[in-house]
Amino acid sequence: MDIKKLQTLVVDALEDVKGQDIAVFETSHLTSLFDRIAIVSGTSNRQTKALAASVRDKVKDAGGQIIGMEGEETGEWVLVDLGDMIVHIMQAPIRAYYRLEEIWGDTPVKLGAAKRAPKKAAGDEPKKVSGHLAASKANVEASPVIEKKTPAKKATATTAAKKAPAKKAASKAVGKTVKVAPTKTEAAAVKALKALPEKKVRAPRAAKPAADAAPAKTVIKRIKKVEA
C-alpha cells in the first residue's frame, strides 16, 4: 500500500474515535525499518484501546497488513505496527514522560486529511436569489431621518461675526469723554434765555428786632401854632 494512502487511513481512523493531538513524522532518513510514525493521545484506557481497534479495522478493510499490536492489556500505551508505519497511542502522562517527539519529530508531516473541512450536505447550501424579483429582496428597515440644521448654525455664526465690530467699538469707547453737539432746539433755548432782561436786585430787608430787645424811643416835636 502507498505510504500516503496508509497515512490518510490512519489519521482518519484516529479522528473517528476523537484522538487528541495527532502528530505524524517522517522517519525514512533516521531508520530503514519504517517510513512514518504517528503519535496520538487518549484520555482513558478504553479510548486508547478503541483508537487501536479503529486503526486496525480501517487498514484491514482497505487491504493493508497488520504486523502486530502491543499494550492492549493495560491500555496506557498501545502500539500498532503497520509495516511502513508505526502508530503510538498513549495516555497524556505517558506521552509527556517518554517524549517520543524529541526522538522522531525532526521532520513533521502536514496532516491534510486531518485538517480538511467537513463536506456540506446538499440541503445546507444557500439558494441563489435572483436580484430582479422584488419579492426576493430583503426588507430594509426604515431608519429615522435626522434633519441637519447646519444653515441655522451658519446664520448665527455670520450674525455673531457682524456684531463683533460693534462690540469692539463699544469696548474702545469706554474711558474716553465724547463731546456731543447740541441739537437745534437746545441752541435756540439757550439764545432765548440770554436775550431776557436782567432782573433788578432788591436791597436786603432790615432784620426784625428781637422780642427781648427794648423798644426804641421816638421823639415827637411839637410845632407851635402861629397866631393869626
Side-chain angles (χ1 to χ4, degrees), residues 49-106:
K49 293 177 182 179
L51 287 168
S54 177
V55 171
R56 180 192 60 203
D57 297 341
K58 199 126 186 171
V59 173
K60 274 187 177 181
D61 294 342
Q65 185 180 4
I66 307 299
I67 304 300
M69 293 181 63
E70 298 179 5
E72 288 182 294
E73 296 80 9
T74 60
E76 294 181 353
W77 181 356
V78 182
L79 186 146
V80 182
D81 188 357
L82 303 175
D84 293 336
M85 188 171 183
I86 304 297
V87 182
H88 294 275
I89 304 168
M90 314 168 72
Q91 293 188 19
I94 302 298
R95 183 174 179 176
Y97 180 78
Y98 285 98
R99 299 179 182 178
L100 296 182
E101 289 89 347
E102 295 181 2
I103 301 172
W104 305 103
D106 58 343

Coordinates of all heavy atoms in Angstrom, one line a residue, residues 49-106:
K49 N -7.7 1.8 23.7 CA -8.0 0.6 23.0 C -8.9 0.8 21.8 O -8.8 0.1 20.8 CB -8.6 -0.4 24.0 CG -7.7 -0.8 25.2 CD -8.5 -1.7 26.2 CE -7.6 -2.1 27.3 NZ -8.3 -2.9 28.3
A50 N -9.9 1.7 22.0 CA -10.8 2.0 20.8 C -10.0 2.6 19.7 O -10.3 2.3 18.5 CB -11.9 2.9 21.3
L51 N -9.0 3.4 19.9 CA -8.2 4.1 18.9 C -7.4 3.0 18.1 O -7.4 3.0 16.9 CB -7.3 5.1 19.5 CG -8.0 6.4 19.9 CD1 -7.0 7.2 20.8 CD2 -8.5 7.2 18.7
A52 N -6.8 2.1 18.9 CA -6.1 1.0 18.2 C -6.9 0.1 17.4 O -6.6 -0.3 16.3 CB -5.3 0.2 19.3
A53 N -8.1 -0.2 17.9 CA -9.0 -1.1 17.1 C -9.5 -0.4 15.9 O -9.7 -1.0 14.8 CB -10.2 -1.5 18.0
S54 N -9.7 0.9 16.0 CA -10.2 1.7 14.8 C -9.1 1.7 13.7 O -9.4 1.5 12.5 CB -10.5 3.1 15.2 OG -10.9 3.9 14.1
V55 N -7.9 1.8 14.1 CA -6.8 1.8 13.1 C -6.7 0.4 12.5 O -6.5 0.3 11.2 CB -5.4 2.2 13.8 CG1 -4.3 2.0 12.8 CG2 -5.5 3.7 14.2
R56 N -6.7 -0.6 13.3 CA -6.6 -2.0 12.8 C -7.7 -2.3 11.8 O -7.4 -2.8 10.7 CB -6.7 -2.9 14.0 CG -6.5 -4.4 13.6 CD -6.9 -5.3 14.8 NE -8.3 -5.0 15.2 CZ -8.7 -5.2 16.5 NH1 -7.9 -5.7 17.4 NH2 -10.0 -4.9 16.8
D57 N -8.9 -2.0 12.1 CA -10.1 -2.3 11.3 C -10.0 -1.5 10.0 O -10.3 -2.1 8.9 CB -11.4 -2.1 12.0 CG -11.5 -2.9 13.2 OD1 -10.8 -4.0 13.3 OD2 -12.3 -2.6 14.1
K58 N -9.7 -0.2 10.0 CA -9.7 0.6 8.8 C -8.6 0.1 7.9 O -8.8 0.1 6.6 CB -9.5 2.1 9.2 CG -9.9 3.0 8.2 CD -10.9 4.0 8.8 CE -11.5 5.0 7.8 NZ -12.6 5.8 8.3
V59 N -7.4 -0.2 8.4 CA -6.4 -0.6 7.5 C -6.7 -2.0 6.9 O -6.4 -2.3 5.7 CB -5.0 -0.7 8.2 CG1 -3.9 -1.3 7.4 CG2 -4.6 0.7 8.7
K60 N -7.3 -2.9 7.7 CA -7.6 -4.2 7.2 C -8.7 -4.1 6.1 O -8.6 -4.8 5.0 CB -8.2 -5.1 8.3 CG -7.1 -5.8 9.1 CD -7.7 -6.8 10.1 CE -6.7 -7.6 10.8 NZ -7.3 -8.5 11.8
D61 N -9.7 -3.2 6.3 CA -10.7 -3.1 5.3 C -10.2 -2.5 4.0 O -10.7 -2.8 2.9 CB -11.8 -2.2 5.8 CG -12.6 -2.8 7.0 OD1 -12.5 -4.0 7.2 OD2 -13.2 -2.0 7.8
A62 N -9.1 -1.7 4.0 CA -8.5 -1.2 2.8 C -7.5 -2.1 2.2 O -6.9 -1.8 1.1 CB -7.9 0.2 3.1
G63 N -7.3 -3.3 2.8 CA -6.4 -4.2 2.2 C -5.0 -4.1 2.7 O -4.0 -4.7 2.2
G64 N -4.8 -3.4 3.8 CA -3.4 -3.2 4.4 C -3.1 -4.4 5.3 O -3.9 -5.3 5.6
Q65 N -1.8 -4.4 5.8 CA -1.3 -5.5 6.6 C -1.0 -5.0 8.0 O -0.4 -4.0 8.2 CB 0.0 -6.1 5.9 CG 0.6 -7.3 6.6 CD 1.9 -7.8 6.0 OE1 2.4 -7.2 5.1 NE2 2.4 -8.9 6.5
I66 N -1.5 -5.8 9.0 CA -1.2 -5.5 10.4 C -0.1 -6.5 10.9 O -0.3 -7.7 11.0 CB -2.5 -5.7 11.2 CG1 -3.7 -4.9 10.6 CG2 -2.3 -5.3 12.7 CD1 -3.5 -3.4 10.6
I67 N 1.0 -5.9 11.2 CA 2.2 -6.8 11.6 C 2.0 -7.2 13.1 O 2.2 -8.4 13.4 CB 3.5 -6.0 11.5 CG1 3.7 -5.5 10.0 CG2 4.7 -6.8 11.9 CD1 3.7 -6.6 9.0
G68 N 1.5 -6.3 13.9 CA 1.3 -6.7 15.3 C 0.7 -5.5 16.1 O 0.7 -4.4 15.7
M69 N 0.2 -5.9 17.3 CA -0.3 -4.9 18.3 C 0.3 -5.2 19.7 O 0.3 -6.4 20.1 CB -1.8 -4.8 18.3 CG -2.4 -4.3 17.0 SD -4.2 -4.3 17.0 CE -4.5 -3.1 18.3
E70 N 0.6 -4.2 20.5 CA 1.2 -4.4 21.8 C 0.5 -3.4 22.8 O 0.2 -2.3 22.4 CB 2.7 -4.2 21.8 CG 3.4 -5.2 21.0 CD 4.9 -5.0 21.0 OE1 5.4 -4.1 21.8 OE2 5.7 -5.7 20.3
G71 N 0.4 -3.8 24.1 CA -0.1 -2.9 25.1 C -1.6 -2.8 25.3 O -2.1 -2.0 26.0
E72 N -2.3 -3.7 24.6 CA -3.8 -3.7 24.7 C -4.3 -4.1 26.1 O -5.4 -3.7 26.5 CB -4.4 -4.6 23.7 CG -4.3 -4.1 22.3 CD -5.0 -5.0 21.3 OE1 -4.5 -6.2 21.1 OE2 -6.0 -4.6 20.7
E73 N -3.4 -4.8 26.9 CA -3.9 -5.3 28.2 C -4.0 -4.1 29.2 O -5.0 -4.1 29.9 CB -2.8 -6.3 28.7 CG -2.7 -7.6 27.9 CD -1.9 -7.4 26.7 OE1 -1.2 -6.4 26.6 OE2 -1.8 -8.4 25.9
T74 N -3.1 -3.3 29.2 CA -3.1 -2.1 30.1 C -3.8 -0.9 29.5 O -4.6 -0.2 30.2 CB -1.7 -1.7 30.6 OG1 -1.0 -1.3 29.4 CG2 -1.0 -2.9 31.2
G75 N -3.6 -0.7 28.3 CA -4.3 0.5 27.6 C -3.6 1.8 27.9 O -4.0 2.8 27.4
E76 N -2.4 1.8 28.6 CA -1.7 3.1 28.8 C -0.9 3.5 27.6 O -0.8 4.7 27.3 CB -0.8 3.0 30.0 CG -1.5 2.8 31.3 CD -0.6 2.7 32.5 OE1 0.6 2.6 32.3 OE2 -1.1 2.7 33.7
W77 N -0.4 2.5 26.9 CA 0.4 2.8 25.7 C 0.2 1.6 24.7 O 0.7 0.5 25.0 CB 1.9 2.9 26.0 CG 2.8 3.2 24.9 CD1 2.5 3.3 23.6 CD2 4.2 3.5 25.0 NE1 3.6 3.6 22.8 CE2 4.7 3.7 23.7 CE3 5.1 3.6 26.1 CZ2 6.0 4.0 23.4 CZ3 6.5 3.8 25.8 CH2 6.9 4.1 24.5
V78 N -0.5 1.8 23.6 CA -0.8 0.8 22.7 C 0.0 1.1 21.4 O -0.1 2.2 20.9 CB -2.3 0.7 22.4 CG1 -2.6 -0.4 21.4 CG2 -3.1 0.5 23.7
L79 N 0.7 0.1 20.9 CA 1.5 0.2 19.7 C 0.9 -0.6 18.6 O 0.6 -1.8 18.8 CB 2.9 -0.2 19.9 CG 4.0 0.1 18.8 CD1 5.3 0.4 19.3 CD2 4.1 -1.2 17.9
V80 N 0.7 0.0 17.4 CA 0.1 -0.7 16.3 C 1.2 -0.7 15.2 O 1.6 0.4 14.7 CB -1.2 -0.1 15.8 CG1 -1.8 -0.9 14.6 CG2 -2.2 0.0 16.9
D81 N 1.7 -1.9 14.8 CA 2.7 -2.0 13.7 C 2.1 -2.3 12.4 O 1.5 -3.3 12.2 CB 3.7 -3.1 14.1 CG 4.9 -3.1 13.2 OD1 5.0 -2.3 12.2 OD2 5.8 -3.9 13.4
L82 N 2.2 -1.3 11.4 CA 1.6 -1.5 10.1 C 2.7 -1.7 9.1 O 2.4 -1.6 7.9 CB 0.8 -0.2 9.8 CG -0.3 0.1 10.7 CD1 -1.0 1.4 10.3 CD2 -1.3 -1.0 10.9
G83 N 3.9 -2.1 9.4 CA 5.0 -2.3 8.5 C 5.7 -1.0 8.2 O 6.7 -0.7 8.8
D84 N 5.2 -0.3 7.2 CA 5.8 1.0 6.8 C 5.5 2.2 7.8 O 6.1 3.2 7.6 CB 5.4 1.4 5.4 CG 5.9 0.4 4.3 OD1 7.0 -0.2 4.6 OD2 5.3 0.3 3.3
M85 N 4.6 1.9 8.7 CA 4.1 3.0 9.6 C 3.9 2.4 11.0 O 3.3 1.3 11.1 CB 2.9 3.7 9.1 CG 2.4 4.9 9.9 SD 1.1 5.8 9.0 CE 0.9 7.2 10.0
I86 N 4.3 3.1 12.0 CA 4.1 2.7 13.4 C 3.2 3.7 14.1 O 3.4 4.9 14.0 CB 5.4 2.6 14.2 CG1 6.4 1.6 13.5 CG2 5.2 2.2 15.6 CD1 5.9 0.2 13.4
V87 N 2.2 3.3 14.8 CA 1.2 4.1 15.5 C 1.4 3.9 17.0 O 1.2 2.8 17.5 CB -0.2 3.9 15.0 CG1 -1.2 4.8 15.7 CG2 -0.3 3.9 13.5
H88 N 1.7 5.1 17.7 CA 1.8 5.0 19.2 C 0.6 5.7 19.8 O 0.4 7.0 19.6 CB 3.1 5.8 19.6 CG 4.3 5.1 19.2 ND1 4.9 4.0 19.9 CD2 5.1 5.2 18.1 CE1 6.0 3.6 19.4 NE2 6.2 4.3 18.2
I89 N -0.3 5.0 20.5 CA -1.5 5.5 21.1 C -1.2 5.5 22.6 O -1.1 4.5 23.2 CB -2.7 4.7 20.8 CG1 -2.9 4.6 19.2 CG2 -4.0 5.3 21.4 CD1 -3.9 3.5 18.8
M90 N -1.1 6.7 23.2 CA -0.6 6.9 24.5 C -1.5 7.8 25.3 O -2.2 8.7 24.8 CB 0.8 7.5 24.6 CG 1.7 6.8 23.6 SD 3.3 7.7 23.3 CE 4.1 7.4 24.9
Q91 N -1.6 7.5 26.6 CA -2.3 8.5 27.5 C -1.4 9.7 27.7 O -0.2 9.6 27.6 CB -2.7 7.8 28.8 CG -3.7 6.7 28.7 CD -4.2 6.2 30.0 OE1 -4.1 6.8 31.0 NE2 -4.8 5.0 30.0
A92 N -2.0 10.8 28.1 CA -1.3 12.1 28.1 C -0.1 12.1 29.1 O 1.0 12.5 28.7 CB -2.2 13.2 28.5
P93 N -0.2 11.5 30.3 CA 1.0 11.5 31.2 C 2.1 10.6 30.7 O 3.3 11.0 30.8 CB 0.5 10.9 32.5 CG -1.0 11.2 32.5 CD -1.4 11.1 31.1
I94 N 1.8 9.5 30.0 CA 2.8 8.6 29.4 C 3.5 9.3 28.3 O 4.7 9.2 28.1 CB 2.2 7.3 29.0 CG1 1.5 6.6 30.2 CG2 3.2 6.4 28.4 CD1 2.4 6.2 31.3
R95 N 2.7 10.0 27.5 CA 3.3 10.7 26.3 C 4.2 11.8 26.8 O 5.3 12.1 26.2 CB 2.2 11.3 25.5 CG 2.6 12.0 24.2 CD 1.4 12.4 23.3 NE 1.9 13.1 22.1 CZ 1.0 13.5 21.2 NH1 -0.3 13.2 21.3 NH2 1.5 14.1 20.1
A96 N 3.8 12.5 27.8 CA 4.7 13.6 28.3 C 6.0 13.1 29.0 O 7.0 13.8 29.0 CB 3.9 14.5 29.3
Y97 N 5.9 11.9 29.5 CA 7.1 11.3 30.2 C 8.1 10.8 29.2 O 9.3 11.1 29.3 CB 6.6 10.2 31.1 CG 7.8 9.5 31.8 CD1 8.4 10.1 32.9 CD2 8.3 8.3 31.4 CE1 9.4 9.5 33.6 CE2 9.3 7.7 32.1 CZ 9.9 8.3 33.2 OH 10.9 7.7 33.8
Y98 N 7.7 10.1 28.1 CA 8.6 9.5 27.2 C 9.1 10.4 26.1 O 10.2 10.2 25.5 CB 8.0 8.2 26.6 CG 8.0 7.1 27.6 CD1 6.9 6.7 28.3 CD2 9.2 6.3 27.8 CE1 6.9 5.7 29.2 CE2 9.2 5.2 28.7 CZ 8.0 5.0 29.4 OH 8.0 3.9 30.3
R99 N 8.3 11.4 25.7 CA 8.6 12.4 24.7 C 9.2 11.8 23.4 O 10.3 12.1 23.0 CB 9.7 13.4 25.3 CG 9.2 14.1 26.6 CD 10.2 15.0 27.1 NE 9.8 15.7 28.3 CZ 10.6 16.6 29.0 NH1 11.8 16.8 28.6 NH2 10.1 17.1 30.1
L100 N 8.3 11.1 22.8 CA 8.8 10.5 21.5 C 9.0 11.5 20.4 O 9.7 11.3 19.4 CB 7.7 9.4 21.1 CG 7.5 8.2 22.0 CD1 6.5 7.3 21.4 CD2 8.9 7.5 22.2
E101 N 8.3 12.7 20.5 CA 8.5 13.7 19.5 C 10.0 14.2 19.5 O 10.4 14.6 18.4 CB 7.6 14.9 19.8 CG 6.1 14.6 19.6 CD 5.4 14.1 20.8 OE1 6.1 13.6 21.7 OE2 4.2 14.0 20.8
E102 N 10.7 14.2 20.6 CA 12.0 14.6 20.6 C 13.0 13.6 19.9 O 14.0 14.0 19.4 CB 12.5 14.8 22.0 CG 11.8 16.0 22.8 CD 12.3 16.2 24.2 OE1 13.2 15.4 24.6 OE2 11.7 17.0 24.9
I103 N 12.6 12.4 19.8 CA 13.4 11.4 19.2 C 13.1 11.3 17.7 O 14.0 11.3 16.9 CB 13.1 10.0 19.8 CG1 13.5 10.0 21.3 CG2 14.0 8.9 19.1 CD1 13.1 8.8 22.1
W104 N 11.8 11.2 17.3 CA 11.4 11.0 15.9 C 10.8 12.3 15.2 O 10.5 12.2 14.0 CB 10.4 9.9 15.8 CG 10.8 8.6 16.5 CD1 10.4 8.2 17.6 CD2 11.7 7.7 15.9 NE1 10.9 7.0 17.9 CE2 11.8 6.6 16.9 CE3 12.5 7.6 14.8 CZ2 12.6 5.5 16.7 CZ3 13.2 6.5 14.6 CH2 13.3 5.4 15.5
G105 N 10.7 13.4 16.0 CA 9.9 14.5 15.4 C 10.7 15.6 14.8 O 10.2 16.8 14.8
D106 N 11.8 15.3 14.1 CA 12.5 16.4 13.5 C 11.9 16.8 12.1 O 12.1 17.9 11.6 CB 14.0 16.1 13.3 CG 14.2 14.8 12.5 OD1 13.2 14.0 12.4 OD2 15.3 14.5 12.0

